[in-house]
Amino acid sequence: MKRVITYGTFDLLHWGHIRLLKRAKEQGDYLIVALSADEFNEIKGKKAYHPYEERRMMLEAIRYVDLVIPECTWGQKRSDIIKYQADVFLMGDDWVNKFDELSDICEVVYLPRTEGISTSKIKNDLEINK
Ligand code: C2G
C-alpha cells in the first residue's frame, strides 16, 4: 500500500485541482489530502470563498481522495508524513524545491501545474464579466 500525501486550500474546486489529485493518486494506492484550515489560510494570506467544512466535504466526494486531514501549520508536514506513513509527498510545481528537505523520509514529487485555471483567475474573470 503506497501512500501519497498532498497539501492545499482547494478553494472554488476546479479542474486544475482535480487533475492534480488524479495524478497524485496515480503515484500510489492511497491519497491523503491535508486541507488548509481557515485559520491557516489567514497565515498564508489567503481568504477562501468556501469554509473548511465545505471544502473538506467537496474533497471527500472526489474518487481519488481517500482521507482528508486539516492543515493548521507550515511545520506539520514532517510529523504528518510519519504519522500517516506517507511514502510520497506531492505538490504542484509552483512549490518546486520548497519541500525537498522532506526527502530523507519520503519521495518528494512536484507535478506540473495545470495552465489556464486557478482560483484567482476564476475570481478575476467573474469580477470582470459581472
Ligand atoms: N494546482 C495545480 N494546478 C492549478 C492550480 C493548483 O496543479 N491550476 C495545485 C497546486 O500546485 C497545489 C494544489 O493544486 O499542489 C492545491 O492548490 P492550492 O489550493 O492553491 O494550494 P496552496 O495554496 O498552494 O497550498 O502547505 C502547502 C500549502 O497548503 C499549499
Side-chain angles (χ1 to χ4, degrees), residues 4 6-7 10 13-27 31-34 58-60 62-65 90 111:
V4 182
T6 191
Y7 290 72
F10 295 97
L13 197 65
H14 56 66
W15 56 281
H17 293 137
I18 301 299
R19 283 193 72 248
L20 187 282
L21 295 168
K22 179 175 191 297
R23 288 174 293 156
K25 183 58 176 280
E26 287 165 355
Q27 297 281 326
L31 176 59
I32 302 157
V33 180
M58 290 170 78
L59 280 182
E60 288 177 345
I62 298 170
R63 68 174 64 196
Y64 309 119
V65 176
L90 182 146
L111 297 179

Side-chain angles (χ1 to χ4, degrees), residues 6-11 14 16-17 19-20 23 34 36 40-41 44 46 71 73-74 77 89-95 99 111-119:
T6 191
Y7 290 72
T9 300
F10 295 97
D11 192 29
H14 56 66
H17 293 137
R19 283 193 72 248
L20 187 282
R23 288 174 293 156
S36 305
F40 182 54
N41 276 327
K44 288 198 316 191
K46 275 190 163 185
E71 178 187 29
T73 67
W74 286 111
K77 294 181 175 69
F89 168 88
L90 182 146
M91 295 297 294
D93 64 1
D94 45 317
W95 292 96
F99 302 112
L111 297 179
R113 270 176 76 91
T114 300
E115 296 307 321
I117 184 71
S118 67
T119 304

Side-chain angles (χ1 to χ4, degrees), residues 71-94:
E71 178 187 29
C72 303
T73 67
W74 286 111
Q76 71 181 69
K77 294 181 175 69
R78 183 168 290 270
S79 54
D80 287 349
I81 289 163
I82 293 163
K83 177 178 177 183
Y84 293 96
Q85 300 172 313
D87 304 289
V88 180
F89 168 88
L90 182 146
M91 295 297 294
D93 64 1
D94 45 317

